[in-house]
Structures are given as structure tokens and as C-alpha cells.
């Protein structure tokens, strides 16, 4: 993977995903609203983001935001905010109930139909678990089943070979689970999207991914405050607040700039215009070595523990098993 920066027309650096991937702006907008909001609210926020300069959007079957994202893309083209769909980088994800070899391609086709697109730029396995076919969240404990990772990944590779997605990857995968995929993959994962912020820096995982040419994408870079599972502990961290005050920046900007300097891509989630604008203002300054060291020394704790993906019936009965001890 070529991880060199490439200037976009809007000065948002990009990573080029390989093999055969498109340039991915390193800062993108997540569309998972928790608690949920109406589709018109989502659509309006996405249009506002496009107008501000966002070109990377992340959705998933689970989020219920594929359709409003597709509508926003169509409107953005029609009113001239962008020249074509090709100006955007779009990611979606395979839900657990479709994480079966024979269901992957139909699931991607449904996502494309929802989005009214001919292809995705990136398609991810949302979680390293499978459930009985039939969409449901939260998944009932008795409905989890063992994942045939070989069959699922081969189907993901077929999706890329068919041109329905330019790149494929995973989300919420540990080093061990990534290694298992790499052992038989003909097309290796281009991306692993995981919780990552100054209070959960994922150093071991980042090192593993870098060594294997996998780009790490951070969700919850600000701690997912306001969601049913998130916390304000990142934005209220005293070390980050001190650095922000001394630098004349917001805590959010410090977190996002730190992520940029770690060589990862980042997904922010705000439908507030001023915060969306502020989150873009992270590319013309840097953290000092001392500031970076202070962040590096912050005590670490995982926030998204994945309780919804373990079951007393297996295949993962504990948090430790789900993350292979990376907690």
C-alpha cells in the first residue's frame, strides 16, 4: 500500500489503497447516528459536509444511512457541488447476518441499490462474527454462529474482482484475526476500521497493520460522546485539554491532528455545521514532540468492548475471546 500523501483539490491529504484502490481522503464523515435520526436530517448533513469539503463518507447496512447518503450524492451532483460520484470515496459494510459465503455478494448488491451506485470504494466486514440469516440488532445470543472466514473472504474478493467495490477490508479485527485472513487471502485487506483515539491508541494493532500494508481507520476518534455506548472521557481528558489550551485549538482538533500524525485515516461524526468545519482545520499545523509524548503516555482503556457480539453459546463467549486478549 502506498501511504504517501497526495494533495486533493480541497487540500485534504489522501492515502492510495492497494491493490487497485482509489485515493481515500484521510478524514471522512461517519453517518452512524446514535440515537437514530431521520433520513432527511442525515441527507441534509451529508450535503452540508460535501459543501464544506468532505469527500469521504462511511456508512453500513446496520446504520440505515445508505439510502439518504445515496440521495445526497445524487443531489450533490445535480446541483453542481461535485462533478460526479467519482469525486467521492464511499465505504459500506457487511452485516453479521450476511457474513456467510453465499450471502456476501447479494448483501453488497443491496447496499449498492440503496445507495443508487454502481460501485463502492471500500467494502468492509463489519464485525468478525456471523449470525443466522435475517437482519437483527442486537443479535440474540442463540443466533450467533461460527464464521467461515475463508468462504466469507473469498466472496469479498469476488466482489472486488467483479468491480462492485474497488477495495475490501475489515472492521473490529484483532491482530490474530487479521493474521488468520492474511494466511489464505489472495487479495489482502486494505483497511481495518477500529476504535482508536488518544485514550485507546491501539499501538500493537497499528504496528501489525503497518507491517502488513493495512491502513488503520479510526472510528470514535473523539470518544463517541452522545452515543449509547460512547463517553465524554476523551474530550474531558485533562492532558488533552491542557494541550488544546496552550495551542489555541479545540480538544477535538488535538485528537484529530494526533491521529493524522499517526499515519491513520479518521472518521468524524458530527452533523453540526460548525463542528464539521472545525474538524477540517487540522492540516496546517502540527503537535510538538513534547505534546506528542504527553499524549503517548495517557493511560489506555477500550471503550467499545463489543458486548453485543459475545454469547454464552459461542463462538466468542468473552470479551477476551472476541479481541484475542487485546483489551
Amino acid at each position: 500500500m502506498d501511504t504517501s500523501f497526495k494533495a486533493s483539490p480541497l487540500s485534504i491529504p489522501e492515502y492510495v489503497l492497494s491493490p487497485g484502490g482509489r485515493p481515500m481522503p484521510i478524514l471522512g464523515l461517519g453517518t452512524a447516528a446514535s440515537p437514530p435520526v431521520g433520513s432527511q436530517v442525515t441527507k441534509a448533513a451529508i450535503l452540508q459536509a460535501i459543501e464544506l469539503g468532505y469527500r469521504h463518507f462511511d456508512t453500513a447496512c446496520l446504520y440505515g444511512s445508505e439510502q439518504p447518503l445515496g440521495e445526497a450524492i445524487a443531489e450533490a451532483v445535480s446541483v453542481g457541488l461535485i462533478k460526479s460520484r467519482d469525486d467521492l470515496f464511499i465505504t459500506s459494510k457487511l452485516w453479521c447476518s450476511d457474513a456467510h459465503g453465499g450471502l456476501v455478494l447479494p448483501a453488497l448488491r443491496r447496499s449498492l441499490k440503496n445507495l443508487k451506485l454502481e460501485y463502492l470504494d471500500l467494502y468492509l466486514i463489519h464485525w468478525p462474527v456471523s449470525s443466522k440469516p435475517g437482519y437483527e440488532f442486537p443479535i440474540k445470543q442463540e443466533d450467533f454462529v461460527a464464521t467461515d472466514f475463508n468462504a466469507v473472504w473469498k466472496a469479498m474478493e469476488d466482489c472486488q474482482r467483479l468491480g462492485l467495490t474497488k477495495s475490501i477490508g475489515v472492521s473490529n479485527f484483532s491482530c490474530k484475526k487479521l493474521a488468520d485472513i492474511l494466511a489464505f487471502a489472495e487479495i489482502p485487506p486494505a483497511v481495518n476500521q477500529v476504535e482508536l483515539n488518544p485514550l485507546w491508541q491501539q499501538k500493537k494493532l497499528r504496528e501489525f497493520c503497518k507491517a502488513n500494508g493495512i491502513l488503520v481507520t479510526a472510528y470514535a476518534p473523539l470518544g463517541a460522546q452522545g452515543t449509547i455506548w460512547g463517553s465524554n472521557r476523551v474530550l474531558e481528558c485533562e492532558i488533552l485539554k491542557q494541550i488544546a489550551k496552550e495551542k489555541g485549538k479545540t480538544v477535538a482538533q488535538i485528537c484529530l491532528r494526533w491521529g493524522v500524525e499517526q499515519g491513520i485515516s479518521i472518521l468524524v461524526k458530527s452533523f453540526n455545521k460548525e463542528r464539521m468545519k472545525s474538524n477540517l482545520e487540522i492540516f496546517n499545523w502540527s503537535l510538538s514532540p513534547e505534546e506528542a509524548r504527553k499524549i503517548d503516555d495517557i493511560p489506555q482503556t477500550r471503550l467499545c468492548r463489543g458486548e453485543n457480539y459475545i454469547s454464552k453459546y459461542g463462538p466468542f463467549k468473552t470479551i477476551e475471546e472476541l479481541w484475542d486478549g487485546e483489551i
Side-chain angles (χ1 to χ4, degrees):
M1 179 179 62
D2 177 6
T3 58
S4 58
F5 281 144
K6 174 185 173 184
S8 74
L10 295 161
S11 301
I12 298 177
E14 299 172 332
Y15 286 125
V16 178
L17 301 181
S18 61
R22 297 183 68 226
M24 181 174 81
I26 67 172
L27 186 68
L29 187 77
T31 63
S34 177
V37 298
S39 61
Q40 288 303 310
V41 174
T42 300
K43 177 184 173 181
I46 292 166
L47 283 167
Q48 182 74 76
I50 293 174
E51 187 174 356
L52 289 172
Y54 287 86
R55 294 294 182 266
H56 173 187
F57 294 91
D58 180 272
T59 184
C61 171
L62 176 66
Y63 303 160
S65 59
E66 288 177 331
Q67 186 171 338
L69 174 55
E71 292 174 356
I73 294 169
E75 185 167 329
V77 173
S78 69
V79 301
L81 284 176
I82 53 176
K83 292 181 180 179
S84 72
R85 173 265 180 270
D86 294 343
D87 290 340
L88 303 179
F89 188 100
I90 307 299
T91 299
S92 195
K93 307 181 189 75
L94 177 78
W95 182 237
C96 303
S97 57
D98 291 315
H100 305 270
L103 299 182
V104 174
L105 184 56
L108 175 52
R109 291 191 187 278
R110 284 197 304 274
S111 288
L112 290 173
K113 183 178 180 180
N114 289 337
L115 288 157
K116 295 183 173 61
L117 298 179
E118 295 182 355
Y119 71 91
L120 292 176
D121 297 287
L122 180 62
Y123 196 44
L124 305 177
I125 300 174
H126 204 152
W127 283 86
V129 297
S130 299
S131 63
K132 294 178 182 178
Y135 174 83
E136 186 177 54
F137 183 83
I139 301 166
K140 295 177 182 176
Q141 288 213 0
E142 61 269 25
D143 285 349
F144 285 100
V145 296
T147 304
D148 184 343
F149 285 108
N150 198 314
V152 171
W153 190 254
K154 286 189 179 302
M156 294 285 286
E157 293 176 332
D158 288 341
C159 290
Q160 180 168 334
R161 293 190 182 103
L162 289 168
L164 299 178
T165 182
K166 300 299 183 183
S167 297
I168 52 177
V170 298
S171 182
N172 298 299
F173 271 55
S174 66
C175 294
K176 179 184 182 303
K177 290 179 175 61
L178 276 172
D180 291 343
I181 295 287
L182 289 169
F184 55 73
E186 295 181 14
I187 302 174
V191 166
N192 185 19
Q193 185 182 125
V194 295
E195 176 196 351
L196 200 153
N197 55 61
L199 275 66
W200 186 242
Q201 298 179 17
Q202 300 264 42
K203 293 177 184 178
K204 176 184 176 182
L205 182 67
R206 282 194 282 130
E207 290 173 1
F208 180 90
C209 288
K210 183 177 181 180
N212 287 280
I214 300 169
L215 178 66
V216 173
T217 294
Y219 69 75
L222 309 179
Q225 182 178 5
T227 68
I228 57 175
W229 60 271
S231 166
N232 66 352
R233 66 192 180 99
V234 174
L235 294 178
E236 292 300 321
C237 173
E238 290 300 325
I239 294 172
L240 297 175
K241 288 167 71 174
Q242 178 187 358
I243 294 172
K245 182 178 179 180
E246 293 173 351
K247 216 161 187 68
K249 305 293 181 181
T250 67
V251 173
Q253 288 171 332
I254 296 298
C255 291
L256 299 178
R257 180 65 207 181
W258 171 84
V260 167
E261 294 183 9
Q262 304 312 302
I264 64 174
S265 66
I266 308 163
L267 295 171
V268 291
K269 165 56 188 72
S270 176
F271 287 178
N272 176 280
K273 179 181 178 180
E274 291 308 312
R275 286 198 291 271
M276 282 195 286
K277 184 178 179 181
S278 177
N279 288 340
L280 287 171
E281 297 169 352
I282 59 170
F283 297 112
N284 61 351
W285 54 277
S286 60
L287 296 168
S288 71
E290 177 63 16
E291 290 163 344
R293 185 195 63 75
K294 288 180 179 179
I295 295 174
D296 192 61
D297 290 340
I298 293 174
Q300 299 292 291
T301 310
R302 182 186 290 277
L303 184 62
C304 183
R305 293 174 56 79
E307 285 92 346
N308 286 323
Y309 303 96
I310 61 173
S311 168
K312 62 182 178 182
Y313 306 108
F316 304 120
K317 297 182 178 180
T318 66
I319 297 295
E320 288 77 10
E321 289 179 358
L322 177 65
W323 300 111
D324 298 302
E326 297 171 21
I327 56 174

